[in-house]
Amino acid sequence: MIWLAWRQFRLQAAIALVALILAGILLALTGAHLRDLYDASGITTCRAHGDCAALESLFLAHEKLLQDLLGPALLAIPALLGLFWGAPLLARELESGSYRLAWTQSIPRTRWLAVKVTLVGAVSIAVAELFSLMVSWWFSPIDKVNMNRFTPAIFDERGIVAIGYAAFAVALGITAGAIIRKTLPAMAAILIGFAAVRLLITYVVRPNLISPTHVSAPLATVSDVGFAAAPSGTTLMAGTPTISNAWIQSNQIVNAGGQAPSGQYVHRFLAQHCPSIIESPSAGSRPAPAAFKECITQLSTTFHEAVTYQPASNYWPFQAYETLIFLGLALILIGLSFWWIRHRIT
């Protein structure tokens, strides 16, 4: 049975191997060049002295086409594995009726399914993770510049989560094929189910996997504090805090009770203590820096910045937890497939 399963799958495995080799050669050559450019860019030394925006922008312009292609390609690989390896695995044989021949050759249906699932599942996980590791290596100098590993698209394209995504996509395809028993409808079910679960995990489950860190800072020490006109009055804003490789989940200006100032309150405060802030837009000029700084200092007696974030040290725990979630879902789906084949297929 193992030899038969391999003969049925060897063409797909060979295509995947060739694709990995070609991708490895391309990424090795361009990735080595990218590292040389990073070392020669001066970014590592300029950060100790001040603003590196110009150097970073120049460096990030290199290999732009590959940057734009590699991420989406890696995101698509688990779905493609589920579509073209998972869905047809059982659906093709159930649809054609060829499974009956295997079951009449003294091969129990559970063994028939176990061999197929193990072979395709193991190769799928290996393909997805090898490509993920290559892409993570290639992007490492770019990630050092951007420092945004928690951004959803970046997080999904790095580390070990590809293992979970591939296992889940293939398991979903196998289960859909077993239940629907037709290849094309099973493939459509994968597209919908895989996308829905990925979005649910990314935007609902992931933010709640680990308790975040809470910090506060006096308003006078916060950069990019400003005011903006709003229908309800005037809004008090602060720029996104600069915390290396952190996931900023919320950033608010609040009082001691944790409440954000209303638009009416900010407008009244400015009218009383900082009239130049309100008058300057109509006069077509900016308020004097000294007046603006004094205004922020007075606001600091009542308000402070409250930041909720996930530190960089939580990156790998997030990767591990999400991988385990998708592996758990994959095991549940495979268990459902075994039950369905044993009890619902005749």
Side-chain angles (χ1 to χ4, degrees):
M1 183 63 205
I2 296 175
W3 175 243
L4 176 61
W6 169 247
R7 284 180 61 86
Q8 291 177 327
F9 184 65
R10 62 183 177 180
L11 178 61
Q12 296 96 309
I15 293 172
L17 178 61
V18 171
L20 279 173
I21 292 173
L22 293 176
I25 294 172
L26 174 64
L27 295 181
L29 294 175
T30 55
H33 178 60
L34 204 59
R35 276 169 164 69
D36 292 338
L37 291 172
Y38 178 79
D39 293 337
S41 66
I43 293 174
T44 55
T45 56
C46 82
R47 283 178 173 166
H49 306 292
D51 186 17
C52 299
L55 292 177
E56 291 174 351
S57 178
L58 182 63
F59 171 73
L60 292 175
H62 292 288
E63 303 291 353
K64 193 63 179 174
L65 179 61
L66 273 178
Q67 290 185 51
D68 294 337
L69 292 178
L70 284 176
L74 183 55
L75 290 175
I77 282 176
L80 293 175
L81 293 173
L83 282 171
F84 296 106
W85 289 7
L89 188 68
L90 299 185
R92 182 175 52 208
E93 296 202 30
L94 293 173
E95 191 173 4
S96 65
S98 60
Y99 69 97
R100 295 188 180 93
L101 177 62
W103 293 358
T104 58
Q105 303 299 314
S106 301
I107 299 175
R109 61 184 68 188
T110 51
R111 182 186 173 193
W112 173 80
L113 179 58
V115 171
K116 286 178 169 291
V117 168
T118 302
L119 176 62
V120 175
V123 176
S124 299
I125 289 173
V127 168
E129 183 55 21
L130 283 172
F131 191 69
S132 177
L133 291 175
M134 290 190 294
V135 170
S136 298
W137 175 83
W138 191 90
F139 268 105
S140 58
I142 295 173
D143 291 340
K144 290 178 183 177
V145 174
N146 287 328
M147 295 188 295
N148 60 348
R149 292 194 301 173
F150 274 112
T151 301
I154 306 300
F155 183 90
D156 297 349
E157 298 166 7
R158 309 284 193 272
I160 60 173
V161 288
I163 293 173
Y165 298 158
F168 172 71
V170 172
L172 182 61
I174 292 170
T175 305
I179 295 174
I180 299 173
R181 302 181 67 168
K182 293 188 179 297
T183 303
L184 290 180
M187 294 171 77
I190 291 172
L191 285 177
I192 297 172
F194 184 71
V197 173
R198 285 286 301 273
L199 290 172
L200 178 68
I201 298 295
T202 299
Y203 295 104
V204 177
V205 177
R206 187 185 298 169
N208 299 292
L209 286 176
I210 300 176
S211 298
T213 299
H214 303 274
V215 295
S216 60
L219 205 57
T221 65
V222 177
S223 61
D224 298 327
V225 177
F227 304 93
S232 60
T234 304
T235 302
L236 178 60
M237 304 177 300
T240 303
T242 304
I243 307 175
S244 179
N245 274 319
W247 176 7
I248 308 298
Q249 294 183 314
S250 69
N251 174 36
Q252 288 184 303
I253 295 176
V254 297
N255 59 20
Q259 298 173 324
S262 66
Q264 296 90 337
Y265 176 90
V266 175
H267 189 80
R268 289 196 304 269
F269 179 91
L270 293 176
Q272 179 180 356
H273 299 283
C274 317
S276 63
I277 303 295
I278 296 178
E279 295 168 0
S280 58
S282 60
S285 61
R286 294 181 177 274
F292 187 86
K293 183 177 180 180
E294 176 61 25
C295 185
I296 298 300
T297 300
Q298 292 191 52
L299 277 170
S300 296
T301 60
T302 305
F303 297 99
H304 65 276
E305 181 186 44
V307 180
T308 300
Y309 74 101
Q310 295 287 352
S313 59
N314 284 346
Y315 175 79
W316 285 110
F318 268 103
Q319 284 268 325
Y321 291 154
E322 187 155 325
T323 301
L324 289 174
I325 288 172
F326 277 98
L327 287 176
L329 292 174
L331 288 175
I332 292 172
L333 288 170
I334 293 301
L336 176 60
S337 297
F338 272 90
W339 180 88
W340 196 271
I341 290 294
R342 283 177 61 86
H343 299 284
R344 302 301 297 271
I345 303 296
T346 57

